[in-house]
Amino acid sequence: MSQHKLLSLAEAVRRYTHDGIQYASGAALPVGSDAIVFGRELLRQGRKNLHAIFHCNTQQLNLLAGAAAVDKAECGFSGLEVFGFANGLRRAVESGQTALEDYSNLAMAARLLGGAMNWPFVPATVNIGSDIQERSAFAPDDYPATRKIPSVTDPFSGRQIGAFSPLKPDVAAIHVSLADPLGNAIMLGTEWSRFELSRAAKKVILVADAIVDTACMRQYPNLVRIPDIIVEAVVYWPFAAWPQSSPGLYDVDEEHMKFMNKALATEQGTADYIRDYVTGYDDIDGYLDLIGRDKAERLANGVTSFLLDPFRQWIKTPEEIAALTSEVAA
Amino acid sequence: MSQHKLLSLAEAVRRYTHDGIQYASGAALPVGSDAIVFGRELLRQGRKNLHAIFHCNTQQLNLLAGAAAVDKAECGFSGLEVFGFANGLRRAVESGQTALEDYSNLAMAARLLGGAMNWPFVPATVNIGSDIQERSAFAPDDYPATRKIPSVTDPFSGRQIGAFSPLKPDVAAIHVSLADPLGNAIMLGTEWSRFELSRAAKKVILVADAIVDTACMRQYPNLVRIPDIIVEAVVYWPFAAWPQSSPGLYDVDEEHMKFMNKALATEQGTADYIRDYVTGYDDIDGYLDLIGRDKAERLANGVTSFLLDPFRQWIKTPEEIAALTSEVAA
Amino acid sequence: MSANATQNLPYTRQEMMAIATGRELRDGELAIFGVGLSMLAGYFAQAHHAPNIRAMTEGGVYGATPVGGLPWGIECNRISANATSFTNAIDALGFLVASGRCDVGIIGAAQVDKFGNVNTTGIWDGEIGDSYRLPKTRLTGAGGANDIACGAGRVVIMVTHEPKRFADKVSYISSPGYLDGGNARERYGFVGKGPSAIITTLGILRPDPLSKEFFLDAYYAFSSVEEILAHTGWDLKVSPNVRVVPEPTPEELATLRRVDETGALRKS
Amino acid sequence: MSANATQNLPYTRQEMMAIATGRELRDGELAIFGVGLSMLAGYFAQAHHAPNIRAMTEGGVYGATPVGGLPWGIECNRISANATSFTNAIDALGFLVASGRCDVGIIGAAQVDKFGNVNTTGIWDGEIGDSYRLPKTRLTGAGGANDIACGAGRVVIMVTHEPKRFADKVSYISSPGYLDGGNARERYGFVGKGPSAIITTLGILRPDPLSKEFFLDAYYAFSSVEEILAHTGWDLKVSPNVRVVPEPTPEELATLRRVDETGALRKS
């Protein structure tokens, strides 16, 4: 009934993104599942002036901001967890290149929930009373900020709480572990806010580490938290979250996490990084060569690889995927 | 680390319920997954004056209301889908025995979401402008009703929407397909609002058709939408939703659905039904005899039984469960 | 009796109503169906002329087509058996329907009025009055229909055409149509545009673009303007262009009967 | 330098801080840990004296204990490997934390003030002023700590004890402590009671029951009241009952080092 939606990464970026859009990452936290390769392709195609909606910073935002492609960002957390500050984003914020509007992690999730619900506002019992409410990077002279998290009166008790503005990003590139060619997706590991984001965004592109047959989805429909009916396109890209982790599929590449973040600390380092790791490959094969085939295999044999076991029987080979992809393009 | 929480059905009802509580069904819609056997036990123990929070009516509410054990009910849908009107509930409402406060199905889910979030109110973009907003069975003289779904002003646009009151039931008996002894649970089929309910209710009792080893949960953590940390007790009861369905485990018992609903249409029929199908068994074996062993087997071999296949290897035998249960009771 | 009028036809009035409803759905739309007739009409459309319709139920059951006969409910095994995704009520009714994302919903009615407001809550003797009193007959409540009526891009109402069901004003608005007409929906900011058609066992009613009062747009081969007026409890206006609905084609009928394999629509 | 003070001790200052923090957690509590020190302190408590602690992370990772070393993040494979449940942010931070359901949370701070307000957003030269200007150093933002600070029953703040980190007033309140003191939290209706302790590399501060100003409650075997006062950027009051924190027992130290198998706490 439904049609295959497999699309090449380059074509997906070409077709669904343009300069100045509200672009959302479908990330599971700073070192986890994120479609980082989509950000690389945004840079390859020279996209700029992005308004980034990132529940949390990841190496994707770190890279995009470090490359001066982000004018505005909204975030709950702007670091890299154990890997410290995100140097690319930090440099962009400190220089004024990127205006970073702060929220908490629950706030970002609640704002996506509100966007998905199409509510005019979302009740806020957090972020109120702190400088998250009082300070706005998007309206720096409005202090205490009146439009960022305004007050609303609870009609039951008469007391005041806050109101978050809902988020409806133009495009979300959501990283998933497994997708079928129709656009049904399984996430392994925390969803973080990918469920809400997939409903809040105007257009959803899945970036999947592996493509499986739809029979997999019929066996595990409760795992399919993103159904095909809300998906525009499916991009197959193994190790799409590298150097971050994708539970069940591969571990964090500790070495490259540090290397990348160090590079992004300077303009020159960023330029070098882009030369080597953004424009330095032509296709999936070249990308896997960059990671290193041995390292990729080692990362794939991590402590969570058993999580993938029930699904391996349905994973399609690169050849099968290529055949389907060319069918769509035709 | 965590301890087993297996409890007998009778003990769970004894320990966690009393007359007059706000009692929530953890149901997946009117003909699906619901802990109907928990309602039978409530009647066996003579619980009454219940305030029922049922996202939708099921045969459980139909039975409890038909047996005059429900003073107040809040519902999104009060029928039985293809099986028509719910005669027991209908009789209770028409006689004034049960005050039924109407909401829509989204409203009930949103109110549970609000209870789970501990928001003082939930934005309402539905139910406003209809008699659901204007008429209150709990405050019949308040017309148009001012406290049921009052207005709230969106601070961003200045326009008015509605505000739902959040729900925090005292106890929820939530039907799940599979639970481990610690209280981790997997639902097969639509969750309906069981996820939100499990966080909104003050106490959660799982009623599981089958008990599995915790290894099952570690293999499929993304399926475990109710984690043990919020669960008080786990009750094992096969065919707990009978005569309704539990996807993967058993089908709707069409014959008994009709028989039961017909019986509940009259006081006498209800008394007969209680005699035969509420107090007419002493234990799980007797209950399965009532269903009919042949029928039970037929119902278990329905069109969705393949959904259970990945999990069968971890299902514990009645003997293993009995051993664990007595361990807890000791 | 109009029941007799179809005695010699190769299809029932219910089947005509289901096919007429199915014709309202377009390929590719995100569509939500309720249980029973609404679901048969929807899956008929998918099987016949809208293969890429994105069908959903309010239970958050996606990618399914019923197997083994008319589902007993929107969540039962007959519709769960071949789904690709199960989520929940917040997702289906909130994120996808109340949000305005769903293009079209099909709902039923116990009673409908000239502005397309739907009552599925109860039957009272006369008006309810200022105090909310017990209904003579308690019905099913709003279920998800209120959410569909508020949020879906457009709504198709299916209802058996009997005078008691077609009231000047419903006793209780369970699901809003155009309320008291005109732009009344704007007062509440509903993202959905309201009912686009009331499809009955006798014909098709549509709303006037300005007043939003429903008028008779079409009747069936077996019904007539006069019969419909006699079965409508308000002074139903008739379109000057009132037309006859095309009869089911053999393909339509064959497809519908494949979907309705247990013959639910042939029993009445 | 105080670093020298621990040279002859069989544990580091970071280990003392982690153990002191772990002692704040009680068996059976629902507890949320952040990444790094906070997680080590939490899992130390679970492994040592609170076996039934119900540990969670803001990613909605439940039932896990880290394997293979300190997790790189609260969602990474080292903590995902043996979880029993994965949900999401709305669930973890909303349903379980902001709701007030979580008993205790452990958060870190770049800067903390005398009312327990935490800054993790940025460092400015002096006050920000009436217009929000660029920070000299951008930090990590609030993350989930603001949600924990608002909602968790009580909060334990872990911070390295340096003068620049202990300000009379933080430049930016990322996560609220007691705001300007007294009952200020009530203005916002926070369901959480606020920070119960600031546990540092030099000692333990606790809030005055009425004013909510933090005072020095205890110092470590290797630190002193004088050293702490010298490293605190406000006029820190000292409890008349100021006490010495018991040193780690051999069991505590052995347990902590099993949890901290990659030795993160021994590196500083």
Side-chain angles (χ1 to χ4, degrees), chain B residues 1 118 199 218 221 224 229, chain D residues 52 54 82 85 91 99 101:
Chain B
M1 318 277 221
N118 199 19
R199 277 67 172 175
R218 293 200 195 279
V224 179
I229 54 171
Chain D
N52 300 303
R54 293 170 294 151
N82 65 354
S85 170
D91 182 38
S99 67
R101 199 156 190 163

Side-chain angles (χ1 to χ4, degrees), chain B residues 159-181:
Chain B
R159 79 176 174 91
Q160 291 210 321
I161 60 166
F164 289 127
S165 55
L167 288 169
K168 296 179 186 176
D170 294 314
V171 174
I174 301 185
H175 182 262
V176 298
S177 314
L178 309 171
D180 73 6

Side-chain angles (χ1 to χ4, degrees), chain A residues 1-3 112-113 115-118 180 182 184 195-196 198-204 214 217-230, chain C residues 30 43 46-47 50-56 61-65 80-88 90-91 93-96 98-101 191:
Chain A
M1 316 278 220
S2 302
Q3 287 163 336
L112 291 168
L113 172 72
M117 282 292 216
N118 198 19
D180 75 4
L182 307 178
N184 295 295
F195 181 70
E196 291 79 13
S198 70
R199 276 68 172 174
K202 297 186 185 118
K203 291 190 192 298
V204 171
T214 299
M217 307 312 184
R218 294 199 193 280
Q219 181 64 66
Y220 294 104
N222 282 95
L223 283 176
V224 180
R225 299 272 295 162
I226 304 181
D228 58 7
I229 54 173
I230 57 168
Chain C
L30 181 56
Y43 284 112
Q46 185 179 63
N52 300 303
I53 211 163
R54 294 170 293 151
M56 58 178 281
V61 175
Y62 306 111
T65 48
S80 298
N82 64 354
T84 47
S85 171
F86 296 131
T87 63
N88 52 46
I90 287 283
D91 182 38
L93 285 173
F95 296 167
L96 299 185
S99 67
R101 200 156 188 163
V191 65

Side-chain angles (χ1 to χ4, degrees), chain B residues 36 40 59 62-63 80 83 241-244 252-264 273 276-278 287 290-292 295 298-299:
Chain B
I36 295 178
R40 295 182 204 266
Q59 289 283 31
N62 199 20
L63 173 61
L80 283 172
F83 298 99
W242 175 76
Q244 297 184 182
V252 169
D253 181 348
E254 186 176 8
E255 181 191 14
H256 196 82
M257 284 294 285
K258 290 175 178 167
F259 169 81
M260 182 173 180
N261 197 35
K262 191 174 170 198
L264 297 175
Y273 187 85
D276 295 340
Y277 291 97
V278 172
Y287 174 84
L290 269 184
I291 296 175
K295 184 193 273 182
R298 200 170 65 245
L299 295 174

Side-chain angles (χ1 to χ4, degrees), chain C residues 64 77 124 131 205 248:
Chain C
N77 286 357
W124 282 263
S131 184
L205 283 60

Side-chain angles (χ1 to χ4, degrees), chain C residues 32-223:
Chain C
I32 185 162
F33 312 144
V35 80
L37 294 184
S38 152
M39 197 180 270
L40 288 173
Y43 284 112
F44 154 72
Q46 185 179 63
H48 181 261
H49 58 270
N52 300 303
I53 211 163
R54 294 170 293 151
M56 58 178 281
T57 75
E58 61 187 87
V61 175
Y62 306 111
T65 48
V67 298
L70 178 65
W72 291 299
I74 56 170
E75 79 285 28
C76 86
N77 286 357
R78 287 176 172 182
I79 195 157
S80 298
N82 64 354
T84 47
S85 171
F86 296 131
T87 63
N88 52 46
I90 287 283
D91 182 38
L93 285 173
F95 296 167
L96 299 185
V97 172
S99 67
R101 200 156 188 163
C102 185
D103 298 301
V104 57
I106 307 177
I107 66 175
Q111 194 183 41
V112 65
D113 68 21
K114 67 180 172 192
F115 291 119
N117 300 301
V118 165
N119 174 18
T120 50
T121 301
I123 305 296
W124 282 263
D125 299 313
E127 291 208 357
I128 296 176
D130 278 356
S131 184
Y132 187 54
R133 58 193 174 84
L134 301 176
K136 187 167 64 93
T137 305
R138 169 71 202 189
L139 305 173
T140 63
N146 180 287
D147 312 315
I148 295 168
C150 294
R154 64 186 196 283
V155 172
V156 178
I157 301 167
M158 292 177 85
V159 58
T160 302
H161 213 132
E162 298 168 345
K164 65 174 184 183
R165 293 179 182 273
F166 281 74
D168 188 61
K169 193 170 183 316
V170 290
S171 317
Y172 183 109
I173 300 179
S174 312
S175 301
Y178 297 103
L179 299 168
D180 49 2
N183 295 327
R185 286 177 68 93
E186 287 178 13
R187 284 205 303 272
Y188 300 95
F190 295 137
V191 65
K193 296 272 186 292
S196 59
I198 301 173
I199 298 188
T200 82
T201 39
L202 295 178
I204 300 176
L205 283 60
R206 295 198 189 270
D208 178 83
L210 291 178
S211 74
K212 304 299 185 187
E213 182 176 325
F214 276 79
F215 63 84
L216 182 63
D217 183 55
Y219 54 94
Y220 300 136
F222 57 80
S223 66

